[in-house]
Amino acid sequence: MLEAAAEKAELTGQIRAFLAWLGPGRKLTQTGRIGLADARQLVTLLSTGDTIDKEIGDRVFKTRSSEDLPHLNRIVAWAKAGRLVRVTGTKLVPVKKNAALADNPLDLVMALLAAYPRLGKPLFSRDSWRQSLVGDEFADISREIITALLRSAGPCPLAELSDIAGNLIEARYMLTDLTALQVDSLRHAIAADVSSAVAALGALGVVVLDREAGSAGLTDLGRYAIRRVRGMAQPGDPVLQLRVTLADVADPPVWRQVVIPAGYTLDRVHGVIQAAMGWQNSHLHMFRITGREYGPVYAEDELETLDETQFRIGDLVKAGDLASYDYDFGDGWEHELAVEASATADADAVYPGCTGGEGACPPEDCGGPGGFADLKELLAGPPSPEREEMLAWAGDEYDPAHFDLKAANLAAGSV
């Protein structure tokens, strides 16, 4: 069933036809583009939907190069991002070690899906008056969009996906000085780009886009492929439920309950903890499990930790076990890890995920548990210059008691 769906996907057919046309290789122009004669042939061969020599009114706008054919460019860019083809000198040639993918549609879909976050700018039209911020931040936005689609029980509103992209962009760009008209224009541009990004997933067969309803939902092929590409648990795979508690922090306590695939290596568990807690992953970390220490290994590693990328969490702990995770050795944030349960992955659930919690993550570099306690006392006290200064540093809306389960779950699911 999945193989048949992959076989029928529009993009897999186009990519396979493109690779057959490419053969041992084709010469490119001096600017590294497909020649116009070849491009004209490909537009028809691949049914790209591009218009050669576009007519507007009584005028004909001649196609001057393959750069004027955005749909063809996306197919070629996707083949490059998926490492199916590469440029050598002035030629475009197939990557021999990946040639077998053309004969395995399901594997081809997964290779193209894995390459999707690397597409960025080729997915969106750019010209002298418009720059795509979605394209500029696509590596992260694409992951957030796919995670939201995966977590949605049914079709996900495109407006919700646009909000996800808009929030990420807003967090990275200074947009406070924009006028109301500029904000509205930016919102419409983001919505248009997100729609294009989802349409590309539709061409891959992993999403069904309903423009009339303004929604998109994953296909069975999409759910399977995303889980495979991200190394997530498939239905029936073992998962572990962990309670992650920040030591020596109270009023309120700070903890998260996370469910993690047992097959995750410790470096990915680190990512889940960072995301669910709300840390920024800007300091060193280490796991302590049954008397042994695991962490990232560097060329000049003085800590002598075991390489966390080589050990799976399910091979090291079981239900009832305790372990610890240290973050920021200067501030000394120790997290107690309690393995509450083991289970098998449910077909309707998404892993990893955050299923519970309490308390806001402390601000980075606030001085560890002691400094955090002082900060909370100051913020709860009467107005003062020092209080205003610390509030500006922590964020005007920082609330030590605030916990957003939906945001934590979405963040954990992106790891």
Side-chain angles (χ1 to χ4, degrees), residues 220-232:
D220 290 341
L221 172 63
R223 290 190 177 277
Y224 173 82
I226 289 169
R227 285 171 169 156
R228 279 284 304 274
V229 167
R230 290 194 176 180
M232 291 178 163

Side-chain angles (χ1 to χ4, degrees), residues 19 63 70 82 145 176 193 200 282 285 317 342 364:
L19 292 174
T63 301
I145 287 175
T176 54
D193 285 346
S282 55
H285 68 275
V317 298
S342 60
E364 297 270 355

Side-chain angles (χ1 to χ4, degrees), residues 25-352:
R26 297 270 183 160
K27 191 172 182 179
L28 300 173
T29 66
Q30 291 183 342
T31 57
R33 298 189 176 279
I34 290 176
L36 184 55
D38 285 342
R40 288 175 179 272
Q41 181 183 1
L42 284 171
V43 164
T44 301
L45 176 67
L46 307 183
S47 300
T48 66
D50 291 301
T51 301
I52 301 288
D53 300 336
K54 187 179 298 184
E55 295 185 20
I56 301 178
D58 58 355
R59 295 186 60 187
V60 176
F61 293 84
K62 299 289 290 183
T63 301
R64 300 185 182 279
S65 76
S66 61
E67 187 177 5
D68 298 333
L69 306 170
H71 298 293
L72 174 60
N73 286 330
R74 288 172 199 170
I75 294 170
V76 177
W78 214 327
K80 288 179 180 177
R83 299 183 176 89
L84 299 169
V85 301
R86 62 187 176 90
V87 176
T88 300
T90 59
K91 289 189 69 176
L92 185 67
V93 299
V95 177
K96 292 181 179 179
K97 68 177 182 179
N98 293 328
L101 289 174
D103 298 322
N104 297 277
L106 186 56
D107 290 341
L108 180 58
V109 165
M110 287 188 287
L112 294 171
L113 182 62
Y116 179 68
R118 297 194 291 271
L119 284 179
K121 298 173 185 178
L123 267 180
F124 312 102
S125 58
R126 298 167 65 94
D127 48 42
S128 58
W129 61 272
R130 184 182 183 285
Q131 176 178 347
S132 172
L133 295 182
V134 173
D136 291 342
E137 304 298 331
F138 195 64
D140 293 328
I141 287 176
S142 63
R143 289 187 63 84
E144 297 288 347
I145 287 175
I146 287 174
T147 299
L149 288 168
L150 192 59
R151 291 202 176 281
S152 181
C156 184
L158 292 178
E160 182 177 323
L161 301 179
S162 296
D163 287 343
I164 290 171
N167 291 339
L168 190 148
I169 288 170
E170 184 177 350
R172 297 186 179 182
Y173 293 84
M174 297 293 293
L175 304 176
T176 54
D177 294 333
L178 295 182
T179 66
L181 181 60
Q182 289 172 324
V183 170
D184 188 60
S185 177
L186 177 61
R187 188 181 299 116
H188 280 86
I190 290 173
D193 285 346
V194 167
S195 181
S196 295
V198 174
L201 290 174
L204 187 55
V206 300
V207 162
V208 174
L209 174 61
D210 187 338
R211 293 190 184 277
E212 185 175 337
S215 65
L218 289 179
T219 62
D220 290 341
L221 172 63
R223 290 190 177 277
Y224 173 82
I226 289 169
R227 285 171 169 156
R228 279 284 304 274
V229 167
R230 290 194 176 180
M232 291 178 163
Q234 296 283 0
D237 288 349
V239 295
L240 296 172
Q241 179 177 297
L242 276 65
R243 187 182 178 99
V244 183
T245 305
L246 201 52
D248 302 318
V249 173
D251 302 322
V254 178
W255 61 272
R256 307 287 186 263
Q257 185 182 71
V258 295
V259 183
I260 301 176
Y264 263 25
T265 51
L266 291 180
D267 58 310
R268 297 195 72 180
V269 177
H270 153 71
V272 174
I273 293 173
Q274 287 281 313
M277 290 294 298
W279 295 118
Q280 297 176 9
N281 196 19
S282 55
H283 298 281
L284 295 175
H285 68 275
M286 178 190 297
F287 289 90
R288 288 189 174 89
I289 304 174
T290 59
R292 306 178 78 183
E293 297 177 341
Y294 305 81
V297 174
Y298 303 101
E300 298 177 0
D301 192 355
E302 298 179 358
L303 299 176
E304 298 182 356
T305 55
L306 296 169
D307 185 356
E308 63 182 7
T309 66
Q310 302 301 309
F311 296 88
R312 299 186 302 177
I313 183 72
D315 295 333
L316 301 176
V317 298
K318 62 184 185 303
D321 285 350
L322 295 174
S324 68
Y325 166 83
D326 296 343
Y327 174 63
D328 186 354
F329 302 154
D331 276 6
W333 296 109
E334 181 181 345
H335 303 66
E336 298 170 350
L337 307 183
V339 185
E340 295 182 316
S342 60
T344 56
D346 189 281
D348 296 326
V350 178
Y351 309 94

